[in-house]
Amino acid sequence: MTPESKDARDEALAQFQAGLAADARGDMEGALRSYRTAWKAPVGIVEAAGNYVALLARLGRFAEAEAAAREALGSAPDYLPLRVARAQALLMTGDPASALDECDFVLARAPGDVSAAGNRALALAALGRHADAVMAYIALAQQVPEDPAFRLNFAGLLVELGRAEEGEAMLGPALAAAPALAARAWRTAGVARLLQSRHRDARIAFARSARLDPTDPEAGSGEIFAANFDPAIDDAAAQALRRAWAARHADPLRAQWMAHPNPRDPDKRLVVGYVSGDFREHAAAGVIEPILAAHDKRAVEVVCYAANPRDDIRTERFKAAADRWRDVKALVPSALADTIRADGIDILVDLSGHTANNRLLAFARKPAPIQITGWGDANGTGMAAMDFLFADPIALPAAARAHFAETALDLPNAQFFQAPDDAPAPTIAPREHLALGTFNRIAKLDDAVLRLWARLLAPAGRRLVLKDLILGEEGSCARLRDRLAACGIDPAKVDLLPGTSRMANYADYARLDVALDPFPYGGGLTTLDALWMGVPLVTLRGHTIQGRLSASILSAIGRSEWVAETPEDYVARAESLLADPAARVAARRDLRETVRRSAVGDAQAYARAVEARYREIWTEWCLKNPLPSP
């Protein structure tokens, strides 16, 4: 090495050391500058490139991390830590196939690389290759059986697959790890407990997660969602939880609100942005996609901001309905807000609420003049930045509206529905007994619900049919049978069905004579699925929006006689249907067309109603917010 080269190398090493020092004291921008200088030096240090990429990833700047790793690999293709870092960045930017290629490259040369093996398992799961992902985690367990990060990721996959009890048991070391990792583990435990119908334990887990990491909004959203299952919760309590979340996570961002330069033209073609993590095969897709597809493109330009964890065939249909498509899964909330503002959105619609993959903290920065929440999770957000909530007078009666941070924006119905064209025709399976049941998630079945259903199942010749993803796990089935017995239901009279594809789910409605809506957290899309398949449904009007959606739907299709006001009334209305075979036959024959022609099922009429409300609130905003004089 020449003296000049040695001097250049020494300077690069000095910059690398400066980067390490800046990193250690929390000066992230300084560390990035020094790492980059050391990497880009004439005699560069490849380890500096690796640290540069890793730090970008830690800061959530995954697209930059991936680009930097790809560039550095051009001159150091065999530096395996860069391959591992690029794989992680690719996972976070939504390219699991390329991440898998990088992991396979590393493992072919270093079979014992735990980081590559862990990223490979994540990539397989993201690609939907769940069986392969499980096998990859089982193999990894031989190397690092007690590693908390490995166990957390494996647990997350098991919970996603409905193996909630097994997933929760996997979490032990992660629950006792350092606070940042333990917070994520307790959040996963909350999801697992919800799936097991342990909503009180789930709330405890989410609250523990929030205490460990008070900056994490997801734990608070998890507790909010879990509270939906609590029979003691009413609108006032539910919205108080949401306001408390907003005070902690959203209100401090109000300083970032800026004036909106959108043209104040009441008659302009409105630019409407839709934000969701569910532009894919998901329960919410059946509500959202038909509305977007039915928009009058002369009146509305549709911009979709997709935070999907993965895309699928349904995603392509959403793309076809959009005028502009933005894949934003890798964007942090501030970057997403900047993108929305730059796109000139007039009305921004949140379709996720406090459910998974939401982007509420982008909304908290008020990137659009008018912001609305609804459809995907129609329960309110608690945020001052959210102006309106899609509702109807039954789902959200006048007496409850004062509890909400948002102003109710009434539509013909708070929910919409359009079943797949190839859904099977309504039929009834031959049988000698009367069958009642629900395909709602088992988490919704509080003991009070089961005790009420026990009265309906007491007569001989009646069976209960329950279906949920979680019922593919024998431990969950055994625990549910114990609960059923404790609530007065003979487990021998119960059929427990595991989750299936959506088409198979429709076919399984042939097993039911009467659908029973759970409470306090009733059905939405599940109610519509049952009605579409001709199954009459009984609901108890609840104390929250989610507890009144079925009442709203039934009223919209002219079947308010199936809406009960008290538990005694619920039993009486169900018994009336069970005693009337002619009414059940008529339901099989007529309900589908009734739904199709109602405010719930006419996509064109519903889209026109939505557009009319958009125009109304836009015109009002223009009048109230004139541009300042030059």
Side-chain angles (χ1 to χ4, degrees):
M1 180 180 293
T2 67
E4 292 80 6
S5 296
K6 183 179 184 305
D7 289 345
R9 179 72 172 178
D10 289 346
E11 177 58 29
L13 283 170
Q15 286 292 334
F16 184 34
Q17 292 297 325
L20 292 171
D23 203 341
R25 65 174 179 269
D27 178 8
M28 302 307 181
E29 290 303 320
L32 285 173
R33 285 193 300 271
S34 294
Y35 286 147
R36 183 176 177 83
T37 301
W39 160 35
K40 294 284 192 177
V43 186
I45 298 175
V46 69
E47 292 84 356
N51 285 21
Y52 179 74
V53 170
L55 181 51
L56 285 172
R58 278 160 46 202
L59 295 172
R61 293 158 61 176
F62 298 109
E64 292 177 68
E66 191 281 321
R70 182 163 22 92
E71 179 185 352
L73 285 167
S75 57
D78 294 322
Y79 185 57
L80 299 185
L82 268 176
R83 297 273 181 187
V84 175
R86 182 169 184 248
Q88 180 188 8
L90 286 163
L91 283 169
M92 298 306 296
T93 54
D95 189 357
S98 296
L100 184 61
D101 289 342
E102 290 287 15
C103 293
D104 286 342
F105 182 97
V106 173
L107 292 168
R109 291 154 180 79
D113 192 306
V114 172
S115 295
N119 282 335
R120 184 175 186 275
L122 289 170
L124 289 167
L127 289 166
R129 294 170 55 182
H130 295 135
D132 291 337
V134 170
M135 293 305 297
Y137 277 123
I138 290 173
L140 190 57
Q142 304 303 311
Q143 295 177 264
V144 286
E146 298 301 314
D147 180 80
F150 148 70
R151 292 179 70 100
L152 172 57
N153 289 337
F154 193 6
L157 174 61
L158 292 172
V159 171
E160 181 183 350
L161 296 177
R163 295 162 61 175
E165 186 173 9
E166 189 179 351
E168 185 179 2
M170 178 69 65
L171 284 169
L175 295 173
L181 188 65
R184 290 170 52 207
W186 279 106
R187 202 170 72 221
T188 300
V191 177
R193 292 173 179 184
L194 264 186
L195 288 174
Q196 297 171 67
S197 196
R198 296 162 54 201
H199 63 82
R200 295 173 183 84
D201 290 340
R203 289 187 67 182
I204 291 170
F206 287 125
R208 181 77 173 269
S209 175
R211 286 196 300 273
L212 286 166
D213 185 0
T215 67
D216 177 20
E218 292 185 42
S221 287
E223 184 177 6
I224 285 168
F225 185 75
N228 289 331
F229 301 84
D230 187 341
I233 291 288
D234 59 10
D235 280 317
Q239 297 311 308
L241 283 173
R242 287 162 171 78
R243 288 181 186 272
W245 179 94
R248 187 179 312 116
H249 299 291
D251 291 353
L253 299 172
R254 188 158 189 160
Q256 298 183 27
W257 293 17
M258 294 183 284
H260 298 98
N262 304 56
R264 271 62 164 174
D265 178 1
D267 300 317
K268 72 186 291 283
R269 184 190 186 203
L270 293 174
V271 184
V272 180
Y274 291 98
V275 185
S276 178
D278 301 322
F279 292 135
R280 56 192 173 102
E281 284 296 344
H282 186 276
V287 177
I288 301 163
E289 185 212 327
I291 302 169
L292 271 59
H295 267 315
D296 179 354
K297 295 303 183 68
R298 296 167 298 178
V300 172
E301 178 185 358
V302 174
V303 185
C304 288
Y305 298 93
N308 301 343
R310 68 179 66 92
D311 294 345
D312 53 31
I313 295 174
R314 190 70 174 265
T315 305
E316 297 306 311
R317 289 163 56 179
F318 277 107
K319 288 182 179 179
D323 295 289
R324 285 185 273 168
W325 181 266
R326 302 278 188 264
D327 187 335
V328 301
K329 69 171 66 68
L331 295 185
V332 296
S334 59
L336 175 55
D338 290 344
T339 298
I340 292 166
R341 183 178 289 276
D343 282 341
I345 300 299
D346 299 315
I347 298 174
L348 188 66
V349 185
D350 159 55
L351 301 171
S352 297
H354 283 282
T355 61
N357 305 307
N358 74 70
R359 290 297 184 269
L360 290 180
L361 294 189
F363 282 81
R365 292 166 164 84
K366 196 69 171 177
I370 298 172
Q371 301 190 156
I372 307 172
T373 185
W375 295 333
D377 178 57
N379 293 305
T381 65
M383 294 167 51
M386 201 70 75
D387 302 294
F388 296 100
L389 166 69
F390 284 135
D392 66 58
I394 294 177
L396 186 53
R401 297 188 174 196
H403 299 304
F404 287 75
E406 304 89 354
T407 298
L409 192 65
D410 284 329
L411 293 171
N413 191 261
Q415 288 282 294
F416 179 79
F417 178 75
Q418 184 174 350
D421 294 335
D422 53 353
T427 59
I428 187 167
R431 54 179 170 266
E432 298 178 358
H433 56 264
L434 286 169
L436 307 94
T438 184
F439 295 173
N440 277 278
R441 66 181 75 186
I442 298 303
K444 294 183 179 182
L445 305 188
D446 191 73
D447 286 355
V449 175
L450 297 179
R451 286 193 291 269
L452 196 66
W453 289 0
R455 296 169 56 184
L456 292 168
L457 289 162
R462 294 183 182 179
R463 294 193 66 80
L464 180 66
V465 181
L466 304 175
K467 183 174 184 178
D468 187 12
L469 179 67
I470 195 73
L471 297 179
E473 185 179 48
E474 182 50 41
S476 294
C477 291
R479 186 169 51 255
L480 178 57
R481 291 187 189 101
D482 289 344
R483 286 186 62 217
L484 291 167
C487 292
I489 297 173
D490 180 359
K493 300 180 71 172
V494 182
D495 298 323
L496 302 181
L497 309 180
T500 60
S501 70
R502 192 155 171 74
M503 285 300 105
N505 205 55
Y506 280 125
D508 276 340
Y509 277 103
R511 295 171 176 258
L512 294 182
D513 293 293
V514 175
L516 301 174
D517 199 35
F519 55 86
Y521 192 170
L525 185 62
T526 312
T527 293
L528 288 159
D529 281 343
L531 298 173
W532 190 255
M533 296 310 299
V535 183
L537 176 140
V538 176
T539 189
L540 175 63
R541 193 189 306 267
H543 302 295
T544 63
I545 289 182
Q546 199 61 52
R548 293 186 292 261
L549 280 182
S550 290
S552 167
I553 292 164
L554 291 172
S555 298
I557 67 169
R559 292 291 190 172
S560 56
E561 72 271 19
W562 296 342
V563 179
E565 303 299 334
T566 66
E568 289 296 327
D569 190 22
Y570 185 102
V571 171
R573 290 174 191 267
E575 289 286 6
S576 177
L577 280 167
L578 290 167
D580 192 347
R584 299 197 306 273
V585 169
R588 296 280 178 181
R589 182 188 65 233
D590 300 334
L591 268 179
R592 177 171 292 190
E593 192 60 25
T594 300
V595 171
R596 194 196 314 271
R597 293 179 178 275
S598 74
V600 178
D602 185 335
Q604 293 297 322
Y606 198 91
R608 298 296 83 75
V610 170
E611 290 159 6
R613 298 316 307 267
Y614 285 166
R615 185 65 58 185
E616 175 185 324
I617 59 178
W618 174 252
T619 299
E620 182 178 0
W621 184 84
C622 289
L623 292 172
K624 289 183 176 180
N625 296 275
L627 283 170
S629 301

